[in-house]
């Protein structure tokens, strides 16, 4: 009946960490839903809500609702990566979706770190530290 997609930007993910950013994103989605709901199911993540909720381990395999939410999230992320690939084609984001494939890592080495890279994740974190030490 209703769904909300919340995109968390790279700066917020770096500031909070991926777990907390995901949790905050889900909580924001609940606040934006237009239809009444009685309970919340999540894929193993407890969230702050005044509704009854269940954090189901491997929930995407056990609940059609969680599976549907997982699909919506994945398709949204894929679309974002396709659009980013148009801006940064040398990174092949349409194929690797930003994961640390050899081609992606080679592109980072050759072309550098992008504003879309999370600065708190490897190998970006180490590369930034190397650059900082080199600059000193």
């Amino acid at each position: 009946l209703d769904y909300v997609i919340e995109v968390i930007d790279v700066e917020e993910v770096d500031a909070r960490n991926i777990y907390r950013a995901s949790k905050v994103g889900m909580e924001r989605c609940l606040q934006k839903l237009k239809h009444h709901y009685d309970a919340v199911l999540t894929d193993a993540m407890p969230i702050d809500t005044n509704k009854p909720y269940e954090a189901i381990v491997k929930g995407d395999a056990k609940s059609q609702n969680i599976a549907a939410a997982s699909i919506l999230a994945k398709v949204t992320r894929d679309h974002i990566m396709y659009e980013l690939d148009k801006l940064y084609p040398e990174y092949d984001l349409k194929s690797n979706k930003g994961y640390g494939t050899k081609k992606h890592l080679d592109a980072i080495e050759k072309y550098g770190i992008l504003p879309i890279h999370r600065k708190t994740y490897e190998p970006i974190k180490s590369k930034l530290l190397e650059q900082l030490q080199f600059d000193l």
Side-chain angles (χ1 to χ4, degrees), residues 66-108:
I66 295 173
S70 179
I71 291 167
L72 289 169
K74 173 85 169 86
V75 169
T76 299
R77 183 177 189 281
D78 287 351
H79 284 287
I80 291 169
M81 297 310 284
Y82 295 141
E83 292 304 311
L84 289 170
D85 184 76
K86 294 175 187 175
L87 294 172
Y88 310 108
E90 59 276 6
Y91 291 81
D92 194 32
L93 298 170
K94 69 182 178 298
S95 298
N96 62 45
K97 307 297 187 291
Y99 291 106
T101 63
K102 180 173 180 355
K103 189 171 184 179
H104 189 137
L105 296 174
D106 289 347
I108 292 169

Side-chain angles (χ1 to χ4, degrees), residues 2 9 15 23 27 37 48 53 57 64 68 75 77 80-81 90 94 98 109 111 124 128 135:
D2 197 6
D9 65 41
K23 183 176 177 172
E27 291 164 356
Y37 59 95
D48 295 327
Y53 79 90
V57 175
Q64 290 179 346
V75 169
R77 183 177 189 281
I80 291 169
M81 297 310 284
E90 59 276 6
K94 69 182 178 298
E109 196 65 40
Y111 303 109
I124 305 303
L128 289 171
D135 291 343

